[in-house]
C-alpha cells in the first residue's frame, strides 16, 4: 500500500467472528454471501492509504458460502479494483473451507508455530497447495516465546549446542519439502524404467 498499490485485507474465516477495532465495520462477508447486504457496504477503509478491509463475520455453513457463485462474483469485482487481495483463511487441513478458498488464490503464505505445527501437517499442507496449483510464497512463524526469542534467532543459523544440532521449524519446513520434492522427482524418473518395473514384478511374485 505504501508503494501506491491498492490492497484489500479479506477475512475469509467465517468460523470465528472477530472484532475489527477502529474501522466501524457494520456488515460482513457472511452477510453479503447470504444476500443480506451489497458489495459496497462490506468494504471499509483503514488507517493506511490504499488499504481497505473486508470483515468475515460468522456463518453456520462457511464452505457452502465460499463455493457459491456469489463469492466468485465478489472476487471478480474486487480484482478489478485492487492490485493485491490478501485473504485470511482457516487452518489448512483443519477446515474444509480452507480448501475451498485455495481455488481462488495464486500464492500462499503458510503460518506455523514452534512446538505447535507438526512436520506431517506441514507436508500435508504443501501437498494440498500443489493439488490446487497454488505456489508456496513463504512461511511466517508466529507465537514465538518472547523470552526464548534469541534462541529462535540463533537456531535459524544452524545453532549448535553440546555438539547437537537444534533445528527450528523453518529448517523442518525446508528439509521435508525438499525431501518430498526429491521423492517425486525420483518417482517420475523411475516411471517406465525397465529395471524398476522388473523389481516391482519380482516383489509381487514373492507375495
Amino acid at each position: 500500500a505504501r508503494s501506491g498499490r491498492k490492497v484489500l485485507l479479506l477475512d475469509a474465516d467465517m468460523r470465528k467472528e472477530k472484532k475489527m477495532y477502529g474501522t466501524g465495520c457494520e456488515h460482513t462477508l457472511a452477510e453479503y454471501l447470504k444476500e443480506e447486504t451489497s458489495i459496497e457496504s462490506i468494504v471499509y477503509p483503514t488507517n493506511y492509504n490504499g488499504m481497505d478491509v473486508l470483515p468475515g463475520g460468522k456463518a453456520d455453513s462457511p464452505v457452502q458460502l465460499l463455493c457459491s457463485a456469489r463469492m466468485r462474483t465478489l472476487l471478480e469485482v474486487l480484482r478489478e479494483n485492487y492490485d493485491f487481495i490478501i485473504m485470511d483463511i482457516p487452518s489448512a487441513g483443519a477446515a474444509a473451507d480452507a480448501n475451498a478458498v485455495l481455488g481462488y488464490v495464486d500464492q500462499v503464505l503458510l503460518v506455523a508455530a514452534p512446538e505447535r505445527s507438526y512436520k506431517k501437517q506441514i507436508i500435508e499442507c504443501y501437498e494440498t497447495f500443489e493439488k490446487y496449483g497454488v505456489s508456496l510464497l513463504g512461511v511466517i512463524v508466529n507465537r514465538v516465546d518472547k523470552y526464548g526469542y534469541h534462541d529462535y534467532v540463533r537456531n535459524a543459523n544452524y545453532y549448535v549446542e553440546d555438539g547437537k544440532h537444534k533445528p527450528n521449524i523453518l529448517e523442518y519446513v525446508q528439509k521435508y519439502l525438499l525431501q518430498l520434492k526429491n521423492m517425486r522427482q525420483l518417482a517420475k524418473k523411475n516411471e517406465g524404467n525397465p529395471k524398476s518395473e522388473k523389481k516391482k514384478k519380482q516383489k509381487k511374485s514373492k507375495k
Side-chain angles (χ1 to χ4, degrees), residues 24-197:
C25 301
E26 296 181 4
H27 301 287
T28 64
L29 173 64
E31 292 177 25
Y32 167 77
L33 295 178
K34 289 186 287 187
E35 301 186 18
E36 296 176 358
T37 189
S38 62
I39 295 178
E40 294 78 15
S41 64
I42 59 175
V43 178
Y44 301 89
T46 66
N47 294 329
Y48 297 94
N49 292 329
M51 181 181 288
D52 295 334
V53 63
L54 197 165
K58 190 174 182 180
D60 295 328
S61 54
V63 179
Q64 185 178 352
L65 293 176
L66 290 170
C67 293
S68 66
R70 198 166 172 82
M71 179 66 181
R72 291 191 290 272
T73 300
L74 171 65
L75 290 175
E76 289 176 3
V77 173
L78 294 176
R79 287 192 182 105
E80 292 177 357
N81 292 277
Y82 292 93
D83 298 306
F84 295 101
I85 300 175
I86 302 174
M87 301 177 68
D88 178 30
I89 65 176
S91 300
D97 29 330
N99 293 345
V101 174
L102 288 177
Y104 302 130
V105 303
D106 302 311
Q107 295 179 315
V108 171
L109 275 170
L110 180 63
V111 180
E115 300 180 3
R116 290 174 179 263
S117 302
Y118 298 96
K119 292 177 287 185
K120 182 180 178 181
Q121 293 174 323
I122 293 172
I123 292 173
E124 288 176 350
C125 287
Y126 181 72
E127 291 176 336
T128 301
F129 300 155
E130 281 198 328
K131 176 183 176 182
Y132 285 88
V134 179
S135 62
L136 180 61
L137 186 61
V139 179
I140 297 175
V141 181
N142 67 356
R143 295 186 179 182
V144 176
D145 181 6
K146 64 180 180 180
Y147 297 106
Y149 174 75
H150 296 293
D151 289 333
Y152 288 115
V153 173
R154 285 182 291 177
N155 285 343
N157 291 316
Y158 289 86
Y159 173 58
V160 178
E161 182 178 305
D162 298 329
K164 295 182 179 180
H165 175 227
K166 293 185 176 182
N168 69 344
I169 191 168
L170 291 177
E171 292 177 45
Y172 280 129
V173 173
Q174 294 170 349
K175 176 183 175 183
Y176 286 94
L177 291 186
L178 180 61
Q179 286 183 355
L180 185 64
K181 183 179 180 180
N182 291 337
M183 288 172 62
R184 289 181 176 174
Q185 288 178 344
L186 182 61
K188 288 182 180 180
K189 187 177 180 181
N190 290 332
E191 285 181 3
N193 189 327
K195 291 184 179 180
S196 61
E197 294 295 330

Side-chain angles (χ1 to χ4, degrees), residues 10-36:
L10 197 165
D11 181 9
D13 185 356
M14 295 181 285
R15 292 183 177 272
K16 295 181 180 179
E17 189 169 8
K18 295 174 280 296
K19 295 181 179 179
M20 311 298 291
Y21 295 105
T23 59
C25 301
E26 296 181 4
H27 301 287
T28 64
L29 173 64
E31 292 177 25
Y32 167 77
L33 295 178
K34 289 186 287 187
E35 301 186 18
E36 296 176 358

